[in-house]
Amino acid sequence: MHVDLVLNGELTAIECADNELILDVVRERLGLTGTKRSCDMEVCGSCTVLLDGLAASACTTLVAEADGKELVTIEGLSDGDELNPVQQAFVDHAAVQCGFCTPGMIMSVQALAMDHPDADDETISEYLSGTICRCTGYVKILEAARQVISE
Amino acid sequence: MRLPPFTLHRPRELGELLELLARYGDDAAVYMGGTELLLIMKLGFAEPGHLVDAKSIPELGELHVSADRLAIGAGVTHRRIERHHDVQRALPVLVDLERRIANVRVRNAGTLGGNLCFAEPHSDPATLLTALDAEVELAGPAGRRRLAVADFILGALSTALDPGEVLTHVHVPVPGPDTLVGYERIVFTERPAATVAVVRGPAGARVVVGALGPRPMRVPHAEMRLVEDDIDAAVEATSSAVADTDTEPGADYRAHLAGVLLRRAWSAATANALSVPGAAAPTKQG
């Protein structure tokens, strides 16, 4: 099938099979490997992307779902070398341990900031509860999220 | 994990969808959010040759709130329900429940209708909707019909959907101000381990236990005790009912859980009532 989308700000046309998933296509065909494969069942949040501004699990979302929509991966957040505010907050708070979950964490906080610009701690936890850090570095991640919301 | 091959269809009208289901029979599956279907396909538990995407059918995307009921189209996502101001006003307990389903990504894509059709025993909505006497509306080759949610879910992953039939709407009665509603769950992983919904109004009471059996289970003995405002006896009846049906190791623990959850749900229901002017408060608190 033919899918037209805006990928990280660029009009993009993709030819794909009906059963192809966003995660496979962005990583293996488009070389955007910031989106990570981990649990592969919508639980861990490592593959979080934004589809028309809403957080989505790339591992379980058909490419067909992106037709006519805007898809943002972690590579689409920064402006050249300039980090976006969520990325900068993660750097400021050293909210990174091994780093594998970090792209998904950043995309989740980006979704949170767009959905709830005045999020309270309960809402921050609600968004982060769907993203898993095996290093258990949640305190710094929470601090980074709070900074994003307060800015 | 890759998905097995299939052909994706995108009908624009309900009639077209029903034709596709009739044409492909067992080899077709209705596809909405895909949060359950794509997962089981990746795991190799289902391999339909045709996915019929129902998201483009306008009728299924409707969400109407009137004074006495919600009509929720099968394509309405959990996200839309949890962020809908009229639903929040009419049935806040449903919004609280929706906010706690799975995670934000699943709620952005997944639908209430899809959740009911999947009939996973660890479903939050099925328990509450059973207690509220909600109904599903189905459309198929023989026309339209309505069924109580309690009659729609037959068992684990099993519904009363006939071949070629699709769920179009979920109809939820909005309880009046003289009705108490509560829902509580306990969750250790993505899905709840035990759920309890309680409703008490002028017409009687409902106590429904979910996730501890193949389908939501009403507990008539507990309902009778609640009508008498005897929460202690209702808790005991609920634990006994679970113990009677649960033969697996750890049944005593799960029976205890169900009782605790009923007590919490009843406390939440009565607390909600006390915060609403004019609402009925029970004569005796649990």
PDB file of all heavy atoms in Angstrom, chain B residues 8-36:
ATOM      1  N   LEU B   8      -5.672  -5.292   4.343  1.00  0.00           N
ATOM      2  CA  LEU B   8      -6.380  -4.296   5.155  1.00  0.00           C
ATOM      3  C   LEU B   8      -7.491  -3.659   4.322  1.00  0.00           C
ATOM      4  O   LEU B   8      -7.244  -3.196   3.209  1.00  0.00           O
ATOM      5  CB  LEU B   8      -5.390  -3.225   5.617  1.00  0.00           C
ATOM      6  CG  LEU B   8      -5.927  -2.128   6.526  1.00  0.00           C
ATOM      7  CD1 LEU B   8      -6.357  -2.688   7.877  1.00  0.00           C
ATOM      8  CD2 LEU B   8      -4.861  -1.033   6.735  1.00  0.00           C
ATOM      9  N   HIS B   9      -8.715  -3.663   4.860  1.00  0.00           N
ATOM     10  CA  HIS B   9      -9.846  -3.035   4.169  1.00  0.00           C
ATOM     11  C   HIS B   9     -10.309  -1.837   4.996  1.00  0.00           C
ATOM     12  O   HIS B   9     -10.286  -1.889   6.229  1.00  0.00           O
ATOM     13  CB  HIS B   9     -11.019  -4.018   4.049  1.00  0.00           C
ATOM     14  CG  HIS B   9     -10.656  -5.289   3.344  1.00  0.00           C
ATOM     15  ND1 HIS B   9     -10.815  -5.462   1.988  1.00  0.00           N
ATOM     16  CD2 HIS B   9     -10.127  -6.445   3.807  1.00  0.00           C
ATOM     17  CE1 HIS B   9     -10.411  -6.678   1.641  1.00  0.00           C
ATOM     18  NE2 HIS B   9      -9.990  -7.301   2.743  1.00  0.00           N
ATOM     19  N   ARG B  10     -10.744  -0.788   4.322  1.00  0.00           N
ATOM     20  CA  ARG B  10     -11.193   0.406   5.040  1.00  0.00           C
ATOM     21  C   ARG B  10     -12.560   0.862   4.567  1.00  0.00           C
ATOM     22  O   ARG B  10     -12.673   1.847   3.827  1.00  0.00           O
ATOM     23  CB  ARG B  10     -10.183   1.529   4.859  1.00  0.00           C
ATOM     24  CG  ARG B  10      -8.915   1.265   5.614  1.00  0.00           C
ATOM     25  CD  ARG B  10      -7.902   2.330   5.293  1.00  0.00           C
ATOM     26  NE  ARG B  10      -7.049   2.578   6.432  1.00  0.00           N
ATOM     27  CZ  ARG B  10      -5.937   3.286   6.368  1.00  0.00           C
ATOM     28  NH1 ARG B  10      -5.562   3.841   5.252  1.00  0.00           N
ATOM     29  NH2 ARG B  10      -5.217   3.454   7.452  1.00  0.00           N
ATOM     30  N   PRO B  11     -13.607   0.156   4.972  1.00  0.00           N
ATOM     31  CA  PRO B  11     -14.950   0.559   4.550  1.00  0.00           C
ATOM     32  C   PRO B  11     -15.325   1.921   5.121  1.00  0.00           C
ATOM     33  O   PRO B  11     -14.856   2.293   6.199  1.00  0.00           O
ATOM     34  CB  PRO B  11     -15.845  -0.541   5.140  1.00  0.00           C
ATOM     35  CG  PRO B  11     -15.062  -1.100   6.280  1.00  0.00           C
ATOM     36  CD  PRO B  11     -13.613  -0.993   5.884  1.00  0.00           C
ATOM     37  N   ARG B  12     -16.158   2.646   4.379  1.00  0.00           N
ATOM     38  CA  ARG B  12     -16.590   3.986   4.812  1.00  0.00           C
ATOM     39  C   ARG B  12     -17.992   3.962   5.391  1.00  0.00           C
ATOM     40  O   ARG B  12     -18.458   4.946   5.938  1.00  0.00           O
ATOM     41  CB  ARG B  12     -16.567   4.954   3.630  1.00  0.00           C
ATOM     42  CG  ARG B  12     -15.215   5.047   2.961  1.00  0.00           C
ATOM     43  CD  ARG B  12     -14.438   6.206   3.542  1.00  0.00           C
ATOM     44  NE  ARG B  12     -13.017   6.054   3.260  1.00  0.00           N
ATOM     45  CZ  ARG B  12     -12.066   6.803   3.785  1.00  0.00           C
ATOM     46  NH1 ARG B  12     -12.380   7.722   4.675  1.00  0.00           N
ATOM     47  NH2 ARG B  12     -10.815   6.630   3.468  1.00  0.00           N
ATOM     48  N   GLU B  13     -18.684   2.844   5.176  1.00  0.00           N
ATOM     49  CA  GLU B  13     -20.062   2.746   5.691  1.00  0.00           C
ATOM     50  C   GLU B  13     -20.247   1.397   6.365  1.00  0.00           C
ATOM     51  O   GLU B  13     -19.599   0.419   6.011  1.00  0.00           O
ATOM     52  CB  GLU B  13     -21.072   2.830   4.541  1.00  0.00           C
ATOM     53  CG  GLU B  13     -21.121   4.161   3.848  1.00  0.00           C
ATOM     54  CD  GLU B  13     -21.927   4.058   2.580  1.00  0.00           C
ATOM     55  OE1 GLU B  13     -22.758   3.117   2.468  1.00  0.00           O
ATOM     56  OE2 GLU B  13     -21.716   4.901   1.695  1.00  0.00           O
ATOM     57  N   LEU B  14     -21.217   1.372   7.277  1.00  0.00           N
ATOM     58  CA  LEU B  14     -21.490   0.139   8.014  1.00  0.00           C
ATOM     59  C   LEU B  14     -21.891  -1.002   7.076  1.00  0.00           C
ATOM     60  O   LEU B  14     -21.452  -2.141   7.241  1.00  0.00           O
ATOM     61  CB  LEU B  14     -22.591   0.406   9.050  1.00  0.00           C
ATOM     62  CG  LEU B  14     -22.812  -0.693  10.078  1.00  0.00           C
ATOM     63  CD1 LEU B  14     -21.548  -0.954  10.886  1.00  0.00           C
ATOM     64  CD2 LEU B  14     -23.962  -0.315  11.004  1.00  0.00           C
ATOM     65  N   GLY B  15     -22.718  -0.678   6.056  1.00  0.00           N
ATOM     66  CA  GLY B  15     -23.164  -1.709   5.115  1.00  0.00           C
ATOM     67  C   GLY B  15     -21.988  -2.371   4.414  1.00  0.00           C
ATOM     68  O   GLY B  15     -21.952  -3.592   4.218  1.00  0.00           O
ATOM     69  N   GLU B  16     -21.017  -1.549   4.052  1.00  0.00           N
ATOM     70  CA  GLU B  16     -19.826  -2.055   3.370  1.00  0.00           C
ATOM     71  C   GLU B  16     -19.027  -2.965   4.311  1.00  0.00           C
ATOM     72  O   GLU B  16     -18.508  -4.007   3.901  1.00  0.00           O
ATOM     73  CB  GLU B  16     -18.985  -0.830   2.977  1.00  0.00           C
ATOM     74  CG  GLU B  16     -18.068  -1.010   1.795  1.00  0.00           C
ATOM     75  CD  GLU B  16     -17.190   0.233   1.598  1.00  0.00           C
ATOM     76  OE1 GLU B  16     -17.679   1.366   1.868  1.00  0.00           O
ATOM     77  OE2 GLU B  16     -16.032   0.063   1.225  1.00  0.00           O
ATOM     78  N   LEU B  17     -18.948  -2.571   5.561  1.00  0.00           N
ATOM     79  CA  LEU B  17     -18.238  -3.386   6.556  1.00  0.00           C
ATOM     80  C   LEU B  17     -18.917  -4.748   6.700  1.00  0.00           C
ATOM     81  O   LEU B  17     -18.256  -5.797   6.701  1.00  0.00           O
ATOM     82  CB  LEU B  17     -18.203  -2.660   7.899  1.00  0.00           C
ATOM     83  CG  LEU B  17     -17.532  -3.395   9.071  1.00  0.00           C
ATOM     84  CD1 LEU B  17     -16.816  -2.408   9.978  1.00  0.00           C
ATOM     85  CD2 LEU B  17     -18.513  -4.178   9.902  1.00  0.00           C
ATOM     86  N   LEU B  18     -20.249  -4.738   6.799  1.00  0.00           N
ATOM     87  CA  LEU B  18     -20.981  -6.003   6.965  1.00  0.00           C
ATOM     88  C   LEU B  18     -20.806  -6.898   5.737  1.00  0.00           C
ATOM     89  O   LEU B  18     -20.685  -8.120   5.858  1.00  0.00           O
ATOM     90  CB  LEU B  18     -22.459  -5.729   7.246  1.00  0.00           C
ATOM     91  CG  LEU B  18     -22.745  -5.012   8.581  1.00  0.00           C
ATOM     92  CD1 LEU B  18     -24.242  -4.706   8.721  1.00  0.00           C
ATOM     93  CD2 LEU B  18     -22.270  -5.832   9.769  1.00  0.00           C
ATOM     94  N   GLU B  19     -20.751  -6.277   4.549  1.00  0.00           N
ATOM     95  CA  GLU B  19     -20.520  -7.065   3.323  1.00  0.00           C
ATOM     96  C   GLU B  19     -19.162  -7.754   3.364  1.00  0.00           C
ATOM     97  O   GLU B  19     -19.029  -8.921   2.973  1.00  0.00           O
ATOM     98  CB  GLU B  19     -20.561  -6.148   2.094  1.00  0.00           C
ATOM     99  CG  GLU B  19     -21.930  -5.959   1.496  1.00  0.00           C
ATOM    100  CD  GLU B  19     -21.902  -4.896   0.389  1.00  0.00           C
ATOM    101  OE1 GLU B  19     -20.895  -4.849  -0.351  1.00  0.00           O
ATOM    102  OE2 GLU B  19     -22.868  -4.118   0.317  1.00  0.00           O
ATOM    103  N   LEU B  20     -18.149  -6.996   3.823  1.00  0.00           N
ATOM    104  CA  LEU B  20     -16.795  -7.571   3.907  1.00  0.00           C
ATOM    105  C   LEU B  20     -16.762  -8.732   4.897  1.00  0.00           C
ATOM    106  O   LEU B  20     -16.158  -9.773   4.634  1.00  0.00           O
ATOM    107  CB  LEU B  20     -15.787  -6.498   4.315  1.00  0.00           C
ATOM    108  CG  LEU B  20     -15.447  -5.475   3.223  1.00  0.00           C
ATOM    109  CD1 LEU B  20     -14.800  -4.234   3.829  1.00  0.00           C
ATOM    110  CD2 LEU B  20     -14.518  -6.101   2.178  1.00  0.00           C
ATOM    111  N   LEU B  21     -17.448  -8.553   6.039  1.00  0.00           N
ATOM    112  CA  LEU B  21     -17.470  -9.631   7.036  1.00  0.00           C
ATOM    113  C   LEU B  21     -18.200 -10.851   6.479  1.00  0.00           C
ATOM    114  O   LEU B  21     -17.795 -11.990   6.724  1.00  0.00           O
ATOM    115  CB  LEU B  21     -18.144  -9.154   8.330  1.00  0.00           C
ATOM    116  CG  LEU B  21     -17.426  -8.065   9.117  1.00  0.00           C
ATOM    117  CD1 LEU B  21     -18.179  -7.762  10.414  1.00  0.00           C
ATOM    118  CD2 LEU B  21     -15.978  -8.454   9.432  1.00  0.00           C
ATOM    119  N   ALA B  22     -19.267 -10.614   5.720  1.00  0.00           N
ATOM    120  CA  ALA B  22     -20.011 -11.734   5.127  1.00  0.00           C
ATOM    121  C   ALA B  22     -19.155 -12.442   4.079  1.00  0.00           C
ATOM    122  O   ALA B  22     -19.137 -13.667   3.994  1.00  0.00           O
ATOM    123  CB  ALA B  22     -21.311 -11.222   4.507  1.00  0.00           C
ATOM    124  N   ARG B  23     -18.407 -11.640   3.315  1.00  0.00           N
ATOM    125  CA  ARG B  23     -17.620 -12.225   2.225  1.00  0.00           C
ATOM    126  C   ARG B  23     -16.477 -13.083   2.763  1.00  0.00           C
ATOM    127  O   ARG B  23     -16.214 -14.168   2.269  1.00  0.00           O
ATOM    128  CB  ARG B  23     -17.057 -11.108   1.334  1.00  0.00           C
ATOM    129  CG  ARG B  23     -16.405 -11.639   0.058  1.00  0.00           C
ATOM    130  CD  ARG B  23     -15.820 -10.523  -0.792  1.00  0.00           C
ATOM    131  NE  ARG B  23     -16.745  -9.399  -0.949  1.00  0.00           N
ATOM    132  CZ  ARG B  23     -16.361  -8.152  -1.236  1.00  0.00           C
ATOM    133  NH1 ARG B  23     -15.068  -7.885  -1.383  1.00  0.00           N
ATOM    134  NH2 ARG B  23     -17.240  -7.179  -1.365  1.00  0.00           N
ATOM    135  N   TYR B  24     -15.783 -12.599   3.807  1.00  0.00           N
ATOM    136  CA  TYR B  24     -14.573 -13.300   4.252  1.00  0.00           C
ATOM    137  C   TYR B  24     -14.793 -14.200   5.466  1.00  0.00           C
ATOM    138  O   TYR B  24     -13.907 -14.957   5.842  1.00  0.00           O
ATOM    139  CB  TYR B  24     -13.453 -12.289   4.526  1.00  0.00           C
ATOM    140  CG  TYR B  24     -13.042 -11.544   3.272  1.00  0.00           C
ATOM    141  CD1 TYR B  24     -13.285 -10.180   3.123  1.00  0.00           C
ATOM    142  CD2 TYR B  24     -12.439 -12.229   2.220  1.00  0.00           C
ATOM    143  CE1 TYR B  24     -12.925  -9.508   1.956  1.00  0.00           C
ATOM    144  CE2 TYR B  24     -12.087 -11.572   1.050  1.00  0.00           C
ATOM    145  CZ  TYR B  24     -12.327 -10.215   0.929  1.00  0.00           C
ATOM    146  OH  TYR B  24     -11.979  -9.566  -0.216  1.00  0.00           O
ATOM    147  N   GLY B  25     -15.966 -14.084   6.080  1.00  0.00           N
ATOM    148  CA  GLY B  25     -16.315 -15.007   7.174  1.00  0.00           C
ATOM    149  C   GLY B  25     -15.259 -15.087   8.254  1.00  0.00           C
ATOM    150  O   GLY B  25     -14.772 -14.071   8.755  1.00  0.00           O
ATOM    151  N   ASP B  26     -14.902 -16.304   8.615  1.00  0.00           N
ATOM    152  CA  ASP B  26     -13.934 -16.550   9.696  1.00  0.00           C
ATOM    153  C   ASP B  26     -12.557 -15.980   9.407  1.00  0.00           C
ATOM    154  O   ASP B  26     -11.736 -15.852  10.320  1.00  0.00           O
ATOM    155  CB  ASP B  26     -13.754 -18.067   9.901  1.00  0.00           C
ATOM    156  CG  ASP B  26     -14.911 -18.657  10.669  1.00  0.00           C
ATOM    157  OD1 ASP B  26     -15.738 -17.869  11.158  1.00  0.00           O
ATOM    158  OD2 ASP B  26     -14.973 -19.899  10.766  1.00  0.00           O
ATOM    159  N   ASP B  27     -12.292 -15.677   8.134  1.00  0.00           N
ATOM    160  CA  ASP B  27     -10.957 -15.183   7.779  1.00  0.00           C
ATOM    161  C   ASP B  27     -10.852 -13.663   7.953  1.00  0.00           C
ATOM    162  O   ASP B  27      -9.823 -13.077   7.638  1.00  0.00           O
ATOM    163  CB  ASP B  27     -10.631 -15.581   6.331  1.00  0.00           C
ATOM    164  CG  ASP B  27      -9.135 -15.558   6.048  1.00  0.00           C
ATOM    165  OD1 ASP B  27      -8.351 -15.768   7.007  1.00  0.00           O
ATOM    166  OD2 ASP B  27      -8.752 -15.312   4.891  1.00  0.00           O
ATOM    167  N   ALA B  28     -11.935 -13.035   8.462  1.00  0.00           N
ATOM    168  CA  ALA B  28     -11.910 -11.577   8.657  1.00  0.00           C
ATOM    169  C   ALA B  28     -11.968 -11.255  10.145  1.00  0.00           C
ATOM    170  O   ALA B  28     -12.569 -11.981  10.930  1.00  0.00           O
ATOM    171  CB  ALA B  28     -13.103 -10.944   7.947  1.00  0.00           C
ATOM    172  N   ALA B  29     -11.316 -10.139  10.514  1.00  0.00           N
ATOM    173  CA  ALA B  29     -11.426  -9.634  11.883  1.00  0.00           C
ATOM    174  C   ALA B  29     -11.672  -8.133  11.812  1.00  0.00           C
ATOM    175  O   ALA B  29     -11.067  -7.443  10.985  1.00  0.00           O
ATOM    176  CB  ALA B  29     -10.146  -9.918  12.669  1.00  0.00           C
ATOM    177  N   VAL B  30     -12.589  -7.650  12.659  1.00  0.00           N
ATOM    178  CA  VAL B  30     -12.811  -6.205  12.738  1.00  0.00           C
ATOM    179  C   VAL B  30     -11.624  -5.593  13.476  1.00  0.00           C
ATOM    180  O   VAL B  30     -11.183  -6.104  14.511  1.00  0.00           O
ATOM    181  CB  VAL B  30     -14.130  -5.886  13.476  1.00  0.00           C
ATOM    182  CG1 VAL B  30     -14.306  -4.370  13.623  1.00  0.00           C
ATOM    183  CG2 VAL B  30     -15.311  -6.497  12.717  1.00  0.00           C
ATOM    184  N   TYR B  31     -11.106  -4.504  12.912  1.00  0.00           N
ATOM    185  CA  TYR B  31      -9.908  -3.858  13.449  1.00  0.00           C
ATOM    186  C   TYR B  31     -10.250  -2.420  13.833  1.00  0.00           C
ATOM    187  O   TYR B  31     -10.735  -1.658  13.008  1.00  0.00           O
ATOM    188  CB  TYR B  31      -8.824  -3.912  12.373  1.00  0.00           C
ATOM    189  CG  TYR B  31      -7.654  -2.972  12.543  1.00  0.00           C
ATOM    190  CD1 TYR B  31      -6.757  -3.118  13.594  1.00  0.00           C
ATOM    191  CD2 TYR B  31      -7.436  -1.950  11.622  1.00  0.00           C
ATOM    192  CE1 TYR B  31      -5.672  -2.262  13.730  1.00  0.00           C
ATOM    193  CE2 TYR B  31      -6.351  -1.091  11.743  1.00  0.00           C
ATOM    194  CZ  TYR B  31      -5.479  -1.249  12.802  1.00  0.00           C
ATOM    195  OH  TYR B  31      -4.418  -0.397  12.930  1.00  0.00           O
ATOM    196  N   MET B  32     -10.028  -2.088  15.098  1.00  0.00           N
ATOM    197  CA  MET B  32     -10.243  -0.707  15.546  1.00  0.00           C
ATOM    198  C   MET B  32      -8.904  -0.139  16.001  1.00  0.00           C
ATOM    199  O   MET B  32      -8.096   0.244  15.188  1.00  0.00           O
ATOM    200  CB  MET B  32     -11.283  -0.659  16.671  1.00  0.00           C
ATOM    201  CG  MET B  32     -12.709  -0.619  16.165  1.00  0.00           C
ATOM    202  SD  MET B  32     -13.091   0.957  15.381  1.00  0.00           S
ATOM    203  CE  MET B  32     -14.853   0.747  15.141  1.00  0.00           C
ATOM    204  N   GLY B  33      -8.656  -0.127  17.313  1.00  0.00           N
ATOM    205  CA  GLY B  33      -7.382   0.402  17.794  1.00  0.00           C
ATOM    206  C   GLY B  33      -6.225  -0.561  17.564  1.00  0.00           C
ATOM    207  O   GLY B  33      -5.070  -0.157  17.467  1.00  0.00           O
ATOM    208  N   GLY B  34      -6.543  -1.839  17.505  1.00  0.00           N
ATOM    209  CA  GLY B  34      -5.496  -2.838  17.268  1.00  0.00           C
ATOM    210  C   GLY B  34      -4.677  -3.175  18.502  1.00  0.00           C
ATOM    211  O   GLY B  34      -3.755  -3.985  18.436  1.00  0.00           O
ATOM    212  N   THR B  35      -5.001  -2.550  19.641  1.00  0.00           N
ATOM    213  CA  THR B  35      -4.153  -2.741  20.817  1.00  0.00           C
ATOM    214  C   THR B  35      -4.208  -4.166  21.346  1.00  0.00           C
ATOM    215  O   THR B  35      -3.268  -4.623  21.980  1.00  0.00           O
ATOM    216  CB  THR B  35      -4.544  -1.768  21.948  1.00  0.00           C
ATOM    217  OG1 THR B  35      -5.905  -1.964  22.280  1.00  0.00           O
ATOM    218  CG2 THR B  35      -4.338  -0.325  21.520  1.00  0.00           C
ATOM    219  N   GLU B  36      -5.301  -4.855  21.102  1.00  0.00           N
ATOM    220  CA  GLU B  36      -5.395  -6.265  21.494  1.00  0.00           C
ATOM    221  C   GLU B  36      -5.165  -7.162  20.275  1.00  0.00           C
ATOM    222  O   GLU B  36      -4.389  -8.104  20.339  1.00  0.00           O
ATOM    223  CB  GLU B  36      -6.790  -6.582  22.068  1.00  0.00           C
ATOM    224  CG  GLU B  36      -7.216  -5.701  23.216  1.00  0.00           C
ATOM    225  CD  GLU B  36      -6.778  -6.230  24.574  1.00  0.00           C
ATOM    226  OE1 GLU B  36      -5.782  -6.975  24.650  1.00  0.00           O
ATOM    227  OE2 GLU B  36      -7.435  -5.876  25.571  1.00  0.00           O
TER     228      GLU B  36
END
